[in-house]
Amino acid sequence: MDRRKKIIWILTGAAILVLAAAALLVWRHRGGGGEGTTIKSTKAHPLPEAVYYLQKDEEWAADPLGESRFTLGSSGCLVTCLATLFDLYGESVTPGELNRLFTEQDVYNASGDVIWGNISSVYPEATVTVYKSVDEQAIEAALDQQQYPLVRVKNLGDGYWHWVLLLGSGDDGYLCMDPLYSEKEARPLSAHGNTVYSWRLVTLPVKE
């Protein structure tokens, strides 16, 4: 193979890698995910006293998720929600601290996604339920029991994938802890179109 052909092959390979990386980012942040389910609360659920963490807090925003190239600031919405959730159960931990624990205990896969079944390696008493479909009645029943669903939405209704933590409901419908919401207060789920694409429930025994 002459030098010119070798350069062409190298440039072609580099272009393929760039396109593959771009496709991964699109899939990770926008994805397919199928049709979402629009949910609407039928009754009021009082808000708990929650800590409203921000994933872009400069204290941990640059921290990588495991061994991946993604960071808490760019892709750490779920971990930030989990930090708030664990605090509600009496396990005080910041997103930065939780990220370090998850990294040490291999809770992330190579892409920085949480492996749900591995959360127990950090919190042995945790019960994790992965639901195959969005069940509005089950979501409301969880809030009835002061359990707080993690729901995946599209940011602002039509953006990239984003996790928020449902905390309660009122006149504005469901209210959530949104790790991108700089006001640090409960945000109406309607800001994300009230549409949920998947959900999880993580519970712990409450520490007094």
Side-chain angles (χ1 to χ4, degrees), residues 20-157:
L24 174 63
L25 282 174
V26 171
W27 177 86
R28 181 182 177 86
H29 290 293
R30 298 191 71 89
E35 295 296 321
T37 299
T38 300
I39 63 173
K40 184 178 181 180
S41 179
T42 62
K43 54 186 171 181
H45 296 90
L47 291 172
E49 292 186 11
V51 179
Y52 291 85
Y53 289 118
L54 294 176
Q55 67 187 81
K56 294 183 181 293
D57 190 306
E58 62 181 15
E59 185 176 341
W60 49 70
D63 295 355
L65 302 175
E67 301 300 321
S68 78
R69 59 191 179 86
F70 299 101
T71 66
L72 266 169
S74 70
S75 304
C77 51
L78 176 56
V79 179
T80 307
C81 286
L82 284 168
T84 291
L85 177 62
F86 292 143
D87 185 82
L88 287 169
Y89 286 111
E91 296 283 352
S92 181
V93 62
T94 69
E97 292 166 342
L98 185 61
N99 179 49
R100 285 191 289 275
L101 290 170
F102 278 8
T103 298
E104 291 168 1
Q105 297 299 322
D106 296 322
V107 177
Y108 296 118
N109 64 17
S111 298
D113 297 315
V114 169
I115 302 172
W116 295 96
N118 289 5
I119 289 177
S120 59
S121 65
V122 177
Y123 294 100
E125 294 183 293
T127 298
V128 179
T129 306
V130 176
Y131 293 88
K132 294 182 179 179
S133 61
V134 177
D135 184 334
E136 186 172 4
Q137 290 184 332
I139 288 174
E140 194 143 52
L143 286 172
D144 285 341
Q145 299 174 58
Q146 295 183 307
Q147 299 173 346
Y148 306 99
L150 295 148
V151 299
R152 188 171 70 152
V153 300
K154 286 190 175 181
N155 190 46
L156 302 180

